[in-house]
């Protein structure tokens, strides 16, 4: 039986929520997201705020988790609008929803997906890294990065089960890369009737395909967010569409592109 939070616990959680909400609003407005700035917005002193967060780095991790939860919720809505047995439509709709979110929330995208460092802590110490160039990269796990990565990897596994696209065998991968990829594979929690991994369970080759697809999607969206391509490429969705078609060719879904393109455009 789950214990009912006490009044003090509810009040403390409400303050945590307000801290994150205020920090995200400052971030969206392009303002300084320091402990001092957040405290001032809340009518508190910095020492009072430090009763809730131990450091600026912890504040940024809480903000990052809130952002990731919102991104995943947005993508979940797009995914669930498609048939559950249509992973091609689900992954395209989710990717397009991610792009639209990124273009609409540029400052928040920059914080969790494209910042080399976070805002420098007020104590003068070195800034904590907040960067994600891979779905399983550098953010602390409690920031929510795993939640984001798991969302896409689950659909990707079902996509392979349905389309059986070619994936590199271990012998085809560079030995150093193979070692890295093997390190990314966790022990399977579920096995099939013969005791083997479930269909669509990750292999080094599958993880490599996944990372390559993600790098193309991430790279294209990042270029669009920061306006490093022609504005018409962004407004028409032409660059994103071409990128998704390139990915689709490797995943054996290019034959369905007219249908999938319409699904993607519905998210623009």
């Amino acid at each position: 039986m789950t214990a009912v939070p006490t009044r003090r616990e509810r009040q403390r959680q409400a303050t945590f929520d307000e801290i994150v909400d205020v920090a995200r609003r400052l971030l969206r407005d392009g303002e300084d997201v320091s402990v001092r700035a957040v405290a001032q917005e809340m009518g508190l002193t910095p020492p009072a705020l430090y009763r809730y967060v131990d450091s600026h780095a912890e504040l940024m991790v809480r903000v990052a988790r809130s952002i990731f939860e919102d991104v995943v919720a947005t993508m979940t809505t797009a995914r669930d609008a498609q048939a559950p047995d249509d992973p091609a439509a689900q992954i395209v709709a989710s990717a397009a929803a991610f792009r639209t979110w990124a273009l609409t929330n540029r400052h928040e995208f920059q914080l969790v997906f494209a910042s080399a460092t976070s805002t420098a802590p007020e104590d003068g110490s070195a800034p904590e890294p907040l960067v994600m160039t891979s779905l399983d990269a550098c953010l602390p796990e409690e920031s929510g990065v795993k939640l984001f990565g798991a969302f896409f990897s689950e659909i990707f596994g079902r996509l392979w089960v349905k389309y059986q696209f070619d994936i590199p065998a271990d012998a085809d991968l560079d030995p150093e890369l193979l070692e890295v990829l093997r390190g990314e594979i966790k022990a399977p929690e579920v096995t099939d009737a013969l005791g083997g991994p479930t269909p669509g369970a990750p292999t080094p080759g599958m993880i490599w395909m996944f990372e390559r697809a993600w790098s193309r999607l991430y790279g294209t969206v990042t270029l669009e967010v920061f306006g490093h391509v022609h504005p018409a490429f962004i407004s028409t969705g032409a660059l994103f569409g071409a990128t998704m078609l390139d990915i689709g060719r490797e995943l054996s879904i290019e034959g369905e592109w007219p249908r999938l393109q319409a699904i993607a455009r519905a998210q623009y």
Side-chain angles (χ1 to χ4, degrees):
M1 182 176 178
T2 304
V4 177
T6 64
R7 183 171 182 273
R8 175 175 291 184
E9 290 171 337
R10 292 195 302 272
Q11 289 176 330
R12 186 171 180 81
Q13 184 58 53
T15 303
F16 278 128
D17 293 342
E18 184 181 1
I19 290 170
V20 171
D21 288 345
V22 169
R24 288 187 64 178
R25 177 168 54 78
L26 291 172
L27 180 63
R28 287 192 293 268
D29 291 343
E31 302 290 339
D32 177 32
V33 189
S34 63
V35 170
R36 182 179 301 279
V38 173
Q40 183 175 351
E41 286 291 310
M42 295 178 64
L44 301 173
T45 63
L49 195 64
Y50 276 120
R51 293 205 297 266
Y52 297 91
V53 293
D54 293 333
S55 63
H56 181 263
E58 182 186 338
L59 170 63
M60 290 293 96
V61 167
R62 289 183 177 275
V63 169
R65 182 168 187 86
S66 177
I67 292 171
F68 276 124
E69 287 174 347
D70 280 358
V71 177
V72 171
T74 297
M75 296 191 304
T76 298
T77 298
R79 179 199 66 191
D80 292 350
Q82 308 303 319
D85 61 349
D86 191 355
Q90 289 186 331
I91 203 164
V92 167
S94 300
F98 166 65
R99 171 187 182 262
T100 298
W101 175 88
L103 291 172
T104 307
N105 300 276
R106 296 172 189 266
H107 291 296
E108 294 190 328
F109 173 88
Q110 181 174 0
L111 175 70
V112 298
F113 289 100
S115 292
T117 58
S118 69
T119 305
E122 296 176 27
D123 61 6
S125 61
E128 294 289 331
L130 278 176
V131 58
M132 192 177 83
T133 55
S134 165
L135 280 179
D136 191 15
C138 306
L139 283 172
E141 184 169 353
E142 61 269 24
S143 70
V145 63
K146 302 291 186 181
L147 182 69
F148 182 90
F151 177 90
F152 273 120
S153 61
E154 187 275 332
I155 305 176
F156 195 84
R158 289 190 288 111
L159 193 72
W160 182 83
V161 170
K162 182 169 183 177
Y163 292 93
Q164 299 286 303
F165 49 84
D166 292 335
I167 58 174
D170 289 2
D172 297 329
L173 296 169
D174 178 272
E176 292 186 8
L177 174 62
L178 179 61
E179 183 178 356
V180 171
L181 295 171
R182 282 175 172 166
E184 294 297 306
I185 299 176
K186 310 299 186 293
E189 298 180 359
V190 180
T191 58
D192 62 18
L194 299 178
T198 54
T203 65
M206 186 177 292
I207 293 176
W208 183 232
M209 293 286 288
F210 180 63
E211 290 286 357
R212 288 170 59 191
W214 164 246
S215 67
R216 292 182 184 183
L217 171 62
Y218 169 77
T220 296
V221 171
T222 300
L223 288 172
E224 291 186 312
V225 166
F226 293 109
H228 294 326
V229 293
H230 194 288
F233 298 167
I234 303 171
S235 62
T236 62
L239 182 61
F240 176 78
T243 297
M244 292 302 296
L245 178 55
D246 288 342
I247 295 171
R249 289 191 180 101
E250 292 199 347
L251 305 182
S252 300
I253 59 175
E254 75 276 16
E256 300 186 44
W257 186 240
R259 174 179 74 91
L260 298 175
Q261 186 177 43
I263 291 171
R265 286 176 172 170
Q267 299 294 328
Y268 294 175

